[in-house]
Amino acid sequence: MKIGFIGLGNMGAPMAHNLLKAGHAVNVFDLNTHAVQTLVEAGAKAAASPKAAASDVECVITMLPAAAHVHSVLTAEDGVLAGIPKGVVIVDSSTIDPASVKAFAALASQRGNTFVDAPVSGGTGGAAAGTLTFMVGGSASTYEQVKPVLSAMGKNIVHCGDTGTGQVAKICNNLVLGITMAGVAEAMSLGEALGIDVKVLGGIINTSTGRCWSSDTYNPMPGVIDGAPASRGYTGGFGTDLMLKDLGLATDAAKLARQPVYLGALAQQLYQTMSAKGAGRLDFSAVIKLYRDDRGQGSGNGDAR
Amino acid sequence: MKIGFIGLGNMGAPMAHNLLKAGHAVNVFDLNTHAVQTLVEAGAKAAASPKAAASDVECVITMLPAAAHVHSVLTAEDGVLAGIPKGVVIVDSSTIDPASVKAFAALASQRGNTFVDAPVSGGTGGAAAGTLTFMVGGSASTYEQVKPVLSAMGKNIVHCGDTGTGQVAKICNNLVLGITMAGVAEAMSLGEALGIDVKVLGGIINTSTGRCWSSDTYNPMPGVIDGAPASRGYTGGFGTDLMLKDLGLATDAAKLARQPVYLGALAQQLYQTMSAKGAGRLDFSAVIKLYRDDRGQGSGNGDAR
Amino acid sequence: MKIGFIGLGNMGAPMAHNLLKAGHAVNVFDLNTHAVQTLVEAGAKAAASPKAAASDVECVITMLPAAAHVHSVLTAEDGVLAGIPKGVVIVDSSTIDPASVKAFAALASQRGNTFVDAPVSGGTGGAAAGTLTFMVGGSASTYEQVKPVLSAMGKNIVHCGDTGTGQVAKICNNLVLGITMAGVAEAMSLGEALGIDVKVLGGIINTSTGRCWSSDTYNPMPGVIDGAPASRGYTGGFGTDLMLKDLGLATDAAKLARQPVYLGALAQQLYQTMSAKGAGRLDFSAVIKLYRDDRGQGSGNGDAR
Amino acid sequence: MKIGFIGLGNMGAPMAHNLLKAGHAVNVFDLNTHAVQTLVEAGAKAAASPKAAASDVECVITMLPAAAHVHSVLTAEDGVLAGIPKGVVIVDSSTIDPASVKAFAALASQRGNTFVDAPVSGGTGGAAAGTLTFMVGGSASTYEQVKPVLSAMGKNIVHCGDTGTGQVAKICNNLVLGITMAGVAEAMSLGEALGIDVKVLGGIINTSTGRCWSSDTYNPMPGVIDGAPASRGYTGGFGTDLMLKDLGLATDAAKLARQPVYLGALAQQLYQTMSAKGAGRLDFSAVIKLYRDDRGQGSGNGDAR
């Protein structure tokens, strides 16, 4: 199948590689010529513009940092909508706000194209291994149409509902994630301060009602889960600034919907504090530093006089 | 084995029953004579006071609402410490603050007795089924000594460390629980407001990084998990006022330890709001009502003019 | 002086009236023809478009709901920048984000014009009385240039610094306002629940360290300050949705600056809850309803069992 | 008049001095013999115990750190209630919880004495100058009875209502204070990050709706208010741990009353973080350090990728 792929960053590049491995013909475009070159060496065809990448293909995939980039890639003079054949589906795997998705879908349909939101989870590891989860927002028929293509890059291709619901699913999951991670950081730090062995505490939580991915798989306390970012200085993993971006999408969507998100808004401030301290590129589980660093300097007794 | 059991409430009564079933001889005491009578009919011996219940036994177990009750049951003129033989272990399964545990342990040791904190999780269902989890704080040898007795009432008997760490484990787990439940309530309500099918959203979260007990087992959104309190009007389950009590223990312990608990303190206010509205006896997952009730009356658009 | 005025809403209309009263010649434009007609009857000249309103004038003033409106009024084909003479100053009194101000200033300077941000405080009352405070962002010379014009509409014309700082001042003041109002609502409600006479409590706070405008001038508790919105069912005053808009500008600006705003983000959620309940048009001091309504239904004792 | 004074700390010592200056005869007691000696040199009579200090006097005043100290000073074998003549009023100027006040008042009345709560504001400066504000909880007649004595130590003697309302007034005022100070810290730090001159911003807030004692008298940003703790490294003033104690009293009282205190609970966590960092003895306006220290290390742009 002939595919146009736009956006060869940490996620997009390995995704495009997996399309090639699956035998698809891929036109690639990115402002980073080095990223393009690497894909060309793997068998892709370099395109001079998004417009060129979208010409004469059966599917277009975009993987970009934010809604503003998707907008320009679609609507620029040499953009996708200027070159794409009628009837071809545009799959956007960027994580953006649901309102922008609806606007882009409207633009695409004016041109006779279908715009599908299909954000991913699984990180750079899942992108390389081809084990990503795709959360797809679109009609049932469009979902069936794009499923085979996405299957070359991911393990779970989930149909979330109509256009925009893929982003809603991604945003809501990461809202829970951002809250539970900070909550586990809080509880593990409190337990440590109160004198329980953190590995014992982790074991109890993970077999009890506090059980969650942030505790049993990705515990932020060093020494509890082997191989978690906490056990390697919070390097790699899912960056604090990325979590901050997703919580920003969640609180903005909540603002538009007049929906309270008390814990989400507070968690956002905690990660924002980490980012302000220069830790934006550390894994988001490093938020536990807010609870543990410079600790034990307080009088540490119950008498606040 | 001869056991004194004090406190025959919703938890204590079934626990004492299981001790009888296991063949132990049990002296019971409670201010509620009806509760005592029921146990006597099951084979227990009624005691006239905590002192009487603790006389001539090999182990004393207390299951009471709060630290103040444990204090009076231990130290009153006709209290446990006035009647208990030297060397006998006192197992307190109440959920109380770690500081009180240390104080009670000191009082007990002055009398030549050992005080062990062994709070439980599993609720009234687990108490009846004998499948409770006991979180035991005490020396390794004391743990080995009480384990057989507790095994008659529970499935998992976990050694958490020294005296007080059982309460620390209970408090920290429930801190995570209170936060994750409110977080899931927030995210599920946001998703609903943004138009995704809540059952689909639940399914995605439960197979992704937002996965937690509060979502995959006890989801607060009606229609997501069959048999969860949300599917029966939030009746039964773990009461909001009980969660409020445990979050109060967590934030108080954090205050003494000079340890920040941002999300825990905010979650406590959410459950406190529910209690103020008269919902203190509903299951704690009813906190989702704060996000869903009276909703959709707002202008519901993004323009705040 | 000849002035083009665009945006004749609840604030803009009385401001334009005061310019006429001061003897200025005013071209007015608004999509609402009734609003235009009223101004014409007062001596203004109706313009067919922002472009027409900005032609042949010595100053252009815009008073619009949000940045998107300012953008289209400036850049549309029949917009201000298409008609304004070189060298003429554009004064925007809308409340918008500082980043948009900088972008609009850049567009204006490309056309040889100066764009000044001059948001106001004082509400519709101050607009009618001509007693508004203008927070002006621009060079010292531009400030001196626009001061006489703004003096016809306001009492205090404050120079805040370079372009954008007028909006920063407005946003930061309203951030404090949104927090203090909710804080006073919290404390007055707590005092009421604990049995102190609220008028006595208000008097103590207003002569002590809790003293603030939200307490001594605009107290949210009914019966404390005569003439405050609380004493007339929270009608009139500064709408909850307007406070929500300004807190949104504050938290968004904080996000861009990587600056934590813990209390501001939480206060935003409180007003968002009010808006979700359909109270978006009530005065923002109605936030006290979150603390007082449905209260006293709880068990109201300290024992959370 | 003959007065027994118990508790000669930073507040109590200057208060007792002012009683002597006013010509009263004062029996003093404190565990700190040096503090006692200083008062004796000023004309006081040293008492061997609270009981002795309360014997043969017309009024007893206590100024102690917390409710536990008041309890032991009243009820110990050599405590006040063991020696005080019937009918003599006990004035407690400590800041404690309203529930304890009611309990102490009941104990006193059993002995034929009246217990009045009269916490103060004004700090060590006001104590030395005799310009404290006393918030008195008790009957109108008791208020009239103690007013002359308190007038020797304070400028404003306010009758708040029945027993306990003095503490309610103190707690509610300091709840507003703790919130407004952190709110001003947040807004001033945001303004600084967005590039406005902080002295200009302070001036605008102080003449606008954000006006509050925390901004116009005690602004936490260095260089805004001469003589504020912010201008001398946050030394002196009202300690963070004291604010933490008062916010703890407020959130505990709210818990008992089932009253939500969202912003108060969050503000408490902010001061708790400062205390954990070892800043418990700095003035509470140092909370602004949480918003300014280590700042500007973040990527500082709006793009969270």
Side-chain angles (χ1 to χ4, degrees), chain A residues 64-66 69 241-242 244-245 262 266 273 275-278 281 290 293-299 303-305, chain D residues 64-66 69 241-242 244-245 262 266 273 275-278 281 290 293-299 301 303-305:
Chain A
L64 300 157
H69 307 79
D241 281 343
L242 283 168
L244 198 49
K245 176 199 169 190
Y262 289 92
L266 179 52
T273 303
S275 188
K277 289 173 178 290
R281 276 148 188 71
L290 293 178
D293 291 3
D294 335 313
R295 190 175 53 183
Q297 299 176 19
S299 51
D303 175 1
R305 274 160 293 132
Chain D
L64 299 158
H69 308 79
D241 281 343
L242 283 169
L244 198 47
K245 175 199 168 189
Y262 289 92
L266 179 52
T273 302
S275 188
K277 288 173 178 291
R281 276 148 189 72
L290 292 179
D293 291 3
D294 335 313
R295 189 175 55 182
Q297 300 176 17
S299 51
N301 61 59
D303 173 3
R305 273 161 294 138

Side-chain angles (χ1 to χ4, degrees), chain A residues 33-243:
Chain A
T33 54
H34 175 73
V36 171
Q37 191 47 41
T38 311
L39 263 295
V40 167
E41 282 156 14
K45 183 165 153 250
S49 69
K51 177 181 178 180
S55 308
D56 177 30
V57 297
E58 296 153 273
C59 176
V60 171
I61 299 172
T62 53
M63 188 57 168
L64 300 157
H69 307 79
V70 179
H71 184 263
S72 68
V73 158
L74 289 177
T75 62
E77 214 169 280
D78 66 349
V80 167
L81 294 177
I84 190 169
K86 293 218 173 317
V88 169
V89 176
I90 303 165
V91 179
D92 178 34
S93 285
S94 319
T95 296
I96 64 176
D97 61 288
S100 294
V101 169
K102 294 207 167 82
F104 299 152
L107 287 172
S109 75
Q110 286 166 22
R111 301 261 325 175
N113 299 98
T114 306
F115 182 92
V116 179
D117 54 309
V120 301
S121 72
T124 51
T131 58
L132 293 169
T133 292
F134 283 85
M135 291 159 263
V136 183
S139 69
S141 58
T142 312
Y143 167 70
E144 291 306 331
Q145 191 180 341
V146 301
K147 193 173 178 182
V149 180
L150 301 183
S151 300
M153 302 178 285
K155 199 168 79 256
N156 308 309
I157 320 299
V158 186
H159 186 210
C160 299
D162 291 342
T163 311
T165 55
Q167 299 293 355
V168 172
K170 171 81 184 277
I171 286 171
C172 291
N173 178 75
N174 285 11
L175 174 59
V176 175
L177 176 60
I179 293 167
T180 53
M181 179 56 74
V184 170
E186 218 162 87
M188 294 299 297
S189 301
L190 177 59
E192 182 185 37
L194 295 176
I196 191 170
D197 178 275
V198 293
K199 213 173 167 89
V200 170
L201 177 57
I204 289 164
I205 290 173
N206 295 340
T207 54
S208 184
T209 52
R211 168 178 60 75
C212 55
W213 184 90
S214 295
S215 177
D216 63 23
T217 304
Y218 215 78
N219 199 295
M221 180 67 76
V224 173
I225 303 289
D226 300 341
S231 302
R232 52 171 194 264
Y234 304 101
T235 54
F238 183 58
T240 294
D241 281 343
L242 283 168
M243 173 52 77

Side-chain angles (χ1 to χ4, degrees), chain C residues 1-6 8 12 15-29 39-40 42-47 53 57 59 61 149:
Chain C
M1 187 162 165
K2 249 187 124 193
I3 300 168
F5 198 104
I6 295 153
L8 303 172
M15 288 166 68
H17 270 290
N18 284 323
L19 288 174
L20 291 168
K21 282 195 204 131
H24 295 293
V26 186
N27 298 346
V28 297
F29 175 79
L39 263 295
V40 167
K45 184 164 153 250
V57 297
C59 177
I61 300 173
V149 180

Side-chain angles (χ1 to χ4, degrees), chain D residues 5 11 67 122 126 268 279 292:
Chain D
F5 199 105
M11 293 295 292
Q268 183 177 1
R292 298 178 71 223

